[in-house]
Amino acid sequence: MVIKCILCTNKYGPLSINITFHRFPKDYERFNKWVNFCRRPDLLEKGPSICNKAYKLCSEHFVETDFNNNGWLINSAVPSIFNWPDAELQQNSSLIMIPEEPIPSTSSTSRIMADSVDIYSNSISSINWSNKSAISCSTPKTSSVSRSLSYSSGNSSTATSNSQTQTHQCLSSNTPRKDKLNKLLSIHKNKFNDLHKQFLTLKKHCSDLEKKSSTLEFFHLMCDNFLNKGFANFVKIQSKLTLQDPHGHRYSYKIKQFALMVHFMGPKVYRFLRKSWSLPSVRTLQRTTENWEINPGLNDFLFKVLAVKANSMTVKSKECILCVDEMSLKSFLFFDFKKDEIIGFHNTGFIKSCDVTKSVMVIMISGLHSSWKQPIGYFFVATTCTGYDLKNIIFQTVQKLSNISFNVVVMISDLGSNFKHFADQQGITPQTPYFNVGDKEIVYMFDPPHLLKATRNNFFNYRFNSQNKIAEKIHLTNFYDLDKSNQHRLAPKLTDVHLNPNSFQKMRVKFAAQVFSHTVVAGMTTLVSCNELPHSAFDTIDFIDSMDKLFDIFNSRPISTEVSNHEGSKRYSLPFSNSSYQTDFLNLMFNYFENLEIQKFDAEKNEWVNIGRQYNIKFINGWLISIAGLNRLYQNLTNNSDSEIDPICTYRTNQDKLENFFGTVRIQNGNCINPTCIQFKRTFKKLFCLDYFEHSEGANCIQDLDEVLLSLEKTPISEIKILFPEKNPIQIPLPITNITNYKQINLPEQNALTYICGYLIGQCLKVHQCTTCLNFAQATTSLSSETFYCHFKSYEENPSLLFGNLIMPNSTFYQYIFQINQVFDRHFISLAPQPNVGKTLKDLILNTIFFYHPCDNFPKDFLINLFLRFRIHNSLNRTNKEYQALRTGKKNRKVQILMNL
């Protein structure tokens, strides 16, 4: 758009560098002056706002005094320099000249002049009254004459026009037309006054309404009129809290009830709403549980509390496992004077006696398909809970859980005599591994870790004979004797503790699992292949391998990315899906235990004889019931589901969560091995509340927001009222990145060098990988006496591969690792107390041993660093285990227990 002057030919461009352009003013009075001086009456119709945007005047029409120092127009500036054409000037001058001859004073002429003056006066009056009227371009001739007079005389136009008119103004002051207009003006003034009074009245009324509508009471009234009752109450409370100091909020029970309801429905929703709304923190909600009272027995209060949480859980997540176990307590009586009650007597909720409590039985439920847990009751007992008490507790627990929509599908217990007696009372056998509570079927299983420990204990004491296969400890002992004296061992985790555990070490599942492991199987098979062990040891190897796979099935965990990418590596540890290989193996083990004979050596007869029931061998029947129970559980879940069920993560069907609960109880009371009854009661309440406020899986989506808000009115507050009763950078001498698995690697013995070399070259390939390095790393393809262990250690993902996925490098690499290992063995003991032991060993290796690799980019420095870190860690770890095995025979029982935790 071209910027140009409205009165001349000047426009913005290179020819008008020193010329500025100025907009018409928006002020109406100044705008009228500019229009008058510019002789552009047509602009009056467009108005100041449009002319301000569309038209401009150049600086040549203003004098110097109209500008300030910055070159801007002053507020009083008006255009005064014009170059009008001569013809227009003559025409305008002829209009204002007084003729030399006097005009005849006729009546008609006087009347015409008077009317002209009246019209001009009225137009001026109207301008002064409204301040917004525009002078029309179609006014009578007399008006234009008067306007011309104004143009020619500037600011003194009125005086000039008065002095040059032939008829005096006083002669036309009281004409009939003016009287009529004056009367009309008076009427309009009266109407204006009346309307102005009404306007002031209405303005005051609106101001009063505005003040009234801004009050909190009016806002609450609008909430009641336009919102549902539940949400209206919440909004009204929020409006009050916003007026308070955030650090001084005192939440009512209604707000806490609502907050807890939202927290259970969707924890993410609750965290999202807390950013905008004034809601209590989760810690505040937990603090309200200080008034909860949780006594021994099945508290109806707890089940009502659980019912609130169950409303936010899915049907699938409410399929749960019932765990029962006992813990020893210190006999101690405590008088609670606030409640006038002595705590420490036998109390199961059904029967109370004066017998002093010696143990406590705890019931816990946990999710079968999700990782939640919740203790729901405890019972103080004098000895053990047996007979009618145990049956009544189990049955009532299942019924109460069923009433609040929790579906108990399986029960887990250990091999205690009281639970064994309960199973016999309910007719639980390998053929019927379940019992009924009303019309509900509950599968019964024994705790797999307890079964594994019992199997290990009996395997060490007796000989197993099943289907003409004999497994005995002597082969395992011979393997350990041959293996433990070697520098690099086939089974490095085996120690004297594993083969000769004391009473406390027998309670460690870790030791039993490390005995029945794939590493031991591979090591023993290697020695048999090398004729270090007799071929009769194969039956023992098969038994250990079978127990390893069986425990993997009963301890399976969710599929991770690492496991799913190597599905064949440890397939029995995948979640139980009733696949053919899982069912076939379970049937195989069921037949094995069904035909198992426990034999004891009779020194008098010098032969092995079968032992009878007097030895009370529990683990055989326990495994049979658990195997049948797992199959029955999957069958029941399939029958009760319309769609395909998810695989079962069987690690949830053990008592680890309950054992951890007992460990937490001990820690909460200062590592007290046997806490007192009052200590356990207080700790149970605390742990119950912590587990209770943990959200359940499936209710953690931000999409739940709309459902939460819609359910405010549907969920009655009375249902949950029960909840609230009244530096310098560190320099690493041996840097390696993102590798820590050398701490868990197994060290073999006769084939140790091959196995370790494969691990080291594999880690080097992660740093640098090319075709030359890959060929160097896969150079060994033949089976020899040095590669037996790698062959048996590998999992048979591809039967065509001799070593599976294990890497077998070139023989020169073996020689290099052997040489640096010799340097380590010669100097490590002397250098270990000294500083910079790793750097010193690295310098010795670099200065004394030469290694050639066909690839120039092979990470030799990384290899040495990794080897030294690996060897130092395993040397220290082995020393620590040897010293730990010597820590026996302590007289302090507490020290012994804590040492074996």
Side-chain angles (χ1 to χ4, degrees):
M1 179 178 177
V2 179
I3 301 176
K4 60 183 180 179
C5 181
I6 194 174
L7 296 179
C8 61
T9 60
N10 291 335
K11 61 180 180 181
Y12 183 79
L15 299 178
S16 57
I17 299 176
N18 298 324
I19 299 176
T20 58
F21 297 85
H22 306 276
R23 300 176 183 270
F24 275 71
K26 291 185 178 181
D27 182 68
Y28 198 80
E29 292 182 0
R30 292 184 62 204
F31 171 72
N32 283 337
K33 291 181 181 181
W34 280 41
V35 171
N36 290 337
F37 286 117
C38 293
R39 301 183 184 180
R40 291 294 301 268
D42 56 306
L43 298 180
L44 293 173
E45 295 180 352
K46 298 182 179 180
S49 60
I50 296 177
C51 293
N52 177 266
K53 297 179 181 178
Y55 304 113
K56 296 179 177 61
L57 287 178
C58 66
S59 57
E60 291 187 354
H61 298 290
F62 298 90
V63 297
E64 254 184 60
T65 56
D66 290 338
F67 298 92
N68 57 19
N69 295 332
N70 296 327
W72 295 89
L73 287 176
I74 61 177
N75 292 334
S76 60
V78 293
S80 58
I81 302 175
F82 305 100
N83 186 17
W84 304 116
D86 294 339
E88 188 176 355
L89 287 174
Q90 292 176 1
Q91 182 182 0
N92 293 333
S93 62
S94 64
L95 290 174
I96 64 175
M97 288 179 63
I98 302 174
E100 297 178 0
E101 298 291 335
I103 300 175
S105 181
T106 60
S107 60
S108 60
T109 305
S110 300
R111 188 162 48 250
I112 292 173
M113 292 299 293
D115 292 341
S116 300
V117 174
D118 290 341
I119 293 172
Y120 180 74
S121 300
N122 291 333
S123 63
I124 295 300
S125 301
S126 63
I127 292 174
N128 294 333
W129 173 251
S130 63
N131 290 330
K132 293 184 180 180
S133 303
I135 301 174
S136 176
C137 294
S138 60
T139 55
K141 185 175 181 181
T142 310
S143 299
S144 63
V145 172
S146 302
R147 196 176 301 116
S148 300
L149 295 174
S150 301
Y151 294 156
S152 62
S153 59
N155 293 333
S156 61
S157 60
T158 305
T160 305
S161 62
N162 292 337
S163 63
Q164 292 179 354
T165 54
Q166 295 179 351
T167 304
H168 198 273
Q169 189 174 1
C170 63
L171 298 178
S172 61
S173 60
N174 294 322
T175 61
R177 180 181 178 82
K178 286 189 175 182
D179 290 340
K180 182 179 179 180
L181 292 175
N182 287 331
K183 290 180 181 180
L184 184 63
L185 179 62
S186 178
I187 293 173
H188 284 297
K189 284 184 177 180
N190 294 333
K191 287 184 178 180
F192 171 78
N193 293 331
D194 294 339
L195 292 175
H196 187 65
K197 290 180 181 179
Q198 294 180 13
F199 167 74
L200 294 177
T201 304
L202 292 175
K203 184 178 180 180
K204 183 179 179 181
H205 182 65
C206 291
S207 177
D208 295 340
L209 289 177
E210 184 178 358
K211 292 180 180 179
K212 183 178 179 181
S213 61
S214 62
T215 59
L216 192 61
E217 292 77 9
F218 183 81
F219 176 74
H220 290 174
L221 180 62
M222 294 297 101
C223 291
D224 294 333
N225 292 339
F226 297 104
L227 299 177
N228 62 59
K229 184 178 179 181
F231 193 69
N233 292 334
F234 173 75
V235 173
K236 288 191 290 186
I237 295 174
Q238 287 294 309
S239 62
K240 293 180 180 178
L241 291 174
T242 54
L243 302 177
Q244 301 176 2
D245 183 8
H247 299 286
H249 283 173
R250 295 297 181 265
Y251 299 100
S252 64
Y253 286 146
K254 290 184 179 180
I255 283 291
K256 292 178 181 178
Q257 292 164 3
F258 167 80
L260 188 61
M261 179 179 63
V262 176
H263 176 68
F264 285 147
M265 288 183 176
K268 276 191 177 180
V269 177
Y270 187 74
R271 290 193 292 270
F272 172 74
L273 294 181
R274 283 201 69 221
K275 297 178 181 179
S276 303
W277 295 353
S278 180
L279 294 174
S281 64
V282 177
R283 183 66 189 95
T284 301
L285 299 178
Q286 294 175 350
R287 199 176 292 115
T288 60
T289 61
E290 295 174 355
N291 295 328
W292 288 7
E293 183 62 29
I294 303 178
N295 296 313
L298 297 176
N299 295 266
D300 293 335
F301 165 77
L302 292 190
F303 289 95
K304 291 179 180 179
V305 167
L306 289 175
V308 178
K309 189 171 184 178
N311 293 334
S312 63
M313 300 173 64
T314 62
V315 176
K316 185 177 180 180
S317 63
K318 286 188 284 189
E319 291 183 345
C320 60
I321 303 169
L322 184 69
C323 299
V324 187
D325 200 2
E326 292 183 343
M327 171 185 175
S328 297
L329 294 180
K330 181 185 295 184
S331 298
F332 182 80
L333 299 177
F334 176 80
F335 176 64
D336 190 349
F337 64 90
K338 292 183 179 180
K339 299 178 182 179
D340 195 20
E341 179 183 11
I342 298 177
I343 299 173
F345 290 124
H346 178 90
N347 185 0
T348 62
F350 310 104
I351 299 177
K352 297 180 181 180
S353 66
C354 294
D355 299 329
V356 179
T357 297
K358 295 181 180 179
S359 60
V360 59
M361 187 179 75
V362 178
I363 296 181
M364 175 181 284
I365 58 174
S366 60
L368 179 63
H369 304 288
S370 54
S371 300
W372 62 267
K373 57 185 176 65
Q374 183 65 62
I376 59 174
Y378 66 97
F379 310 87
F380 291 144
V381 292
T383 53
T384 57
C385 192
T386 58
Y388 173 79
D389 277 355
L390 181 59
K391 177 183 176 181
N392 198 14
I393 289 171
I394 300 299
F395 276 53
Q396 286 205 20
T397 302
V398 174
Q399 290 174 354
K400 289 180 178 293
L401 290 172
S402 179
N403 293 336
I404 58 175
S405 72
F406 280 98
N407 182 21
V408 180
V409 294
V410 60
M411 176 180 170
I412 306 294
S413 71
D414 58 15
L415 297 173
S417 58
N418 52 342
F419 300 115
K420 183 68 170 57
H421 182 63
F422 171 79
D424 294 338
Q425 281 184 336
Q426 301 304 315
I428 296 173
T429 63
Q431 289 71 34
T432 57
Y434 57 88
F435 64 99
N436 294 316
V437 179
D439 57 349
K440 180 183 292 295
E441 178 181 308
I442 299 177
V443 176
Y444 192 92
M445 295 173 60
F446 290 100
D447 182 39
H450 280 83
L451 291 175
L452 187 71
K453 291 186 293 183
T455 305
R456 185 272 317 271
N457 296 338
N458 286 277
F459 174 66
F460 283 179
N461 294 330
Y462 310 112
R463 188 175 76 170
F464 291 175
N465 185 4
S466 178
Q467 300 173 345
N468 297 324
K469 292 184 178 181
I470 299 176
E472 50 186 331
K473 181 185 177 183
I474 187 63
H475 300 299
L476 180 63
T477 304
N478 293 337
F479 164 72
Y480 175 69
D481 292 339
L482 293 172
D483 187 56
K484 68 178 180 179
S485 59
N486 296 322
Q487 177 67 28
H488 304 294
R489 299 177 51 197
L490 293 170
K493 293 185 179 180
L494 281 186
T495 62
D496 292 337
V497 173
H498 291 78
L499 272 71
N500 301 292
N502 57 30
S503 57
F504 293 108
Q505 293 163 349
K506 288 181 180 179
M507 300 168 61
R508 300 289 302 277
V509 182
K510 170 184 175 181
F511 295 147
Q514 289 173 347
V515 169
F516 298 132
S517 66
H518 184 71
T519 300
V520 174
V521 172
M524 293 182 67
T525 307
T526 302
L527 292 187
V528 173
S529 301
C530 297
N531 295 324
E532 296 291 336
L533 287 177
H535 287 275
S536 59
F538 272 122
D539 291 345
T540 303
I541 295 173
D542 289 341
F543 171 72
I544 295 175
D545 186 47
S546 298
M547 292 304 303
D548 174 52
K549 295 176 180 177
L550 182 62
F551 187 66
D552 284 344
I553 290 180
F554 278 91
N555 196 42
S556 61
R557 296 182 178 272
I559 302 176
S560 62
T561 304
E562 181 179 354
V563 175
S564 60
N565 292 337
H566 303 81
E567 194 167 320
S569 60
K570 201 73 168 164
R571 61 176 183 169
Y572 289 100
S573 62
L574 300 178
F576 183 76
S577 58
N578 203 33
S579 58
S580 59
Y581 75 91
Q582 290 174 332
T583 54
D584 292 343
F585 181 76
L586 288 179
N587 292 334
L588 178 67
M589 294 305 297
F590 188 89
N591 294 330
Y592 181 88
F593 286 113
E594 196 174 32
N595 299 312
L596 180 62
E597 295 179 353
I598 306 298
Q599 296 180 342
K600 182 180 180 182
F601 185 77
D602 190 344
E604 295 180 358
K605 298 180 180 180
N606 196 24
E607 62 180 1
W608 293 89
V609 296
N610 295 334
I611 62 176
R613 289 183 57 86
Q614 67 272 16
Y615 288 90
N616 195 16
I617 305 299
K618 301 178 182 179
F619 79 97
I620 298 178
N621 196 50
W623 278 119
L624 293 173
I625 292 175
S626 297
I627 293 173
L630 182 59
N631 290 324
R632 184 76 178 187
L633 174 62
Y634 192 90
Q635 179 182 351
N636 291 346
L637 295 176
T638 305
N639 296 335
N640 297 332
S641 177
D642 297 333
S643 59
E644 184 178 355
I645 66 171
D646 296 333
I648 302 174
C649 297
T650 53
Y651 83 99
R652 297 191 179 105
T653 61
N654 58 43
Q655 288 187 326
D656 283 350
K657 59 188 78 66
L658 195 51
E659 296 292 344
N660 293 336
F661 177 84
F662 290 150
T664 307
V665 171
R666 297 185 179 99
I667 293 174
Q668 291 288 323
N669 293 282
N671 284 335
C672 181
I673 299 173
N674 295 326
T676 63
C677 294
I678 186 61
Q679 288 176 331
F680 181 87
K681 180 179 179 180
R682 293 168 177 169
T683 307
F684 181 90
K685 173 185 171 181
K686 179 179 180 180
L687 298 180
F688 174 86
C689 297
L690 291 177
D691 289 332
Y692 180 75
F693 284 97
E694 286 290 331
H695 67 271
S696 59
E697 297 179 7
N700 198 24
C701 301
I702 200 67
Q703 288 80 4
D704 295 338
L705 176 59
D706 52 350
E707 298 180 4
V708 171
L709 297 179
L710 289 175
S711 61
L712 292 181
E713 183 66 20
K714 298 178 183 178
T715 305
I717 296 297
S718 58
E719 289 187 3
I720 55 176
K721 193 174 182 179
I722 187 68
L723 298 176
F724 301 96
E726 305 277 80
K727 301 172 183 181
N728 290 328
I730 300 176
Q731 300 295 333
I732 302 176
L734 302 175
I736 58 175
T737 58
N738 300 328
I739 296 179
T740 57
N741 54 357
Y742 64 85
K743 297 180 180 180
Q744 291 84 30
I745 194 170
N746 297 325
L747 299 180
E749 167 40 11
Q750 291 182 342
N751 297 267
L753 188 61
T754 306
Y755 189 73
I756 293 175
C757 290
Y759 165 76
L760 294 174
I761 197 69
Q763 298 301 328
C764 291
L765 290 177
K766 294 181 180 180
V767 178
H768 171 72
Q769 187 177 113
C770 63
T771 305
T772 304
C773 292
L774 288 175
N775 294 334
F776 184 87
Q778 299 288 357
T780 302
T781 58
S782 60
L783 186 65
S784 63
S785 59
E786 296 180 352
T787 59
F788 280 147
Y789 184 75
C790 294
H791 172 69
F792 293 115
K793 179 67 176 176
S794 63
Y795 295 100
E796 296 180 356
E797 294 183 3
N798 189 350
S800 61
L801 298 177
L802 193 60
F803 303 106
N805 287 336
L806 296 180
I807 298 175
M808 307 295 289
N810 191 286
S811 58
T812 58
F813 189 80
Y814 300 153
Q815 184 65 26
Y816 177 68
I817 298 301
F818 177 76
Q819 291 176 356
I820 63 177
N821 185 61
Q822 286 183 328
V823 173
F824 182 89
D825 290 339
R826 285 197 302 267
H827 300 92
F828 178 70
I829 296 178
S830 60
L831 294 176
Q834 306 299 325
N836 300 323
V837 56
K839 186 177 183 303
T840 305
L841 288 172
K842 182 179 179 180
D843 293 336
L844 287 173
I845 293 172
L846 292 174
N847 294 331
T848 57
I849 303 174
F850 172 77
F851 172 65
Y852 169 77
H853 193 279
C855 179
D856 296 334
N857 296 324
F858 179 79
K860 180 180 177 182
D861 191 67
F862 172 83
L863 171 65
I864 298 175
N865 293 343
L866 178 60
F867 176 83
L868 291 176
R869 292 266 292 268
F870 168 82
R871 286 290 286 117
I872 292 173
H873 169 79
N874 284 279
S875 298
L876 297 180
N877 191 30
R878 183 175 182 179
T879 303
N880 292 336
K881 288 183 178 180
E882 291 175 354
Y883 278 98
Q884 185 177 3
L886 298 176
R887 297 172 187 169
T888 57
K890 302 291 183 180
K891 295 182 179 180
N892 193 324
R893 182 169 176 266
K894 180 175 181 179
V895 174
Q896 290 184 13
I897 294 177
L898 294 177
M899 184 178 61
N900 290 277
L901 287 178

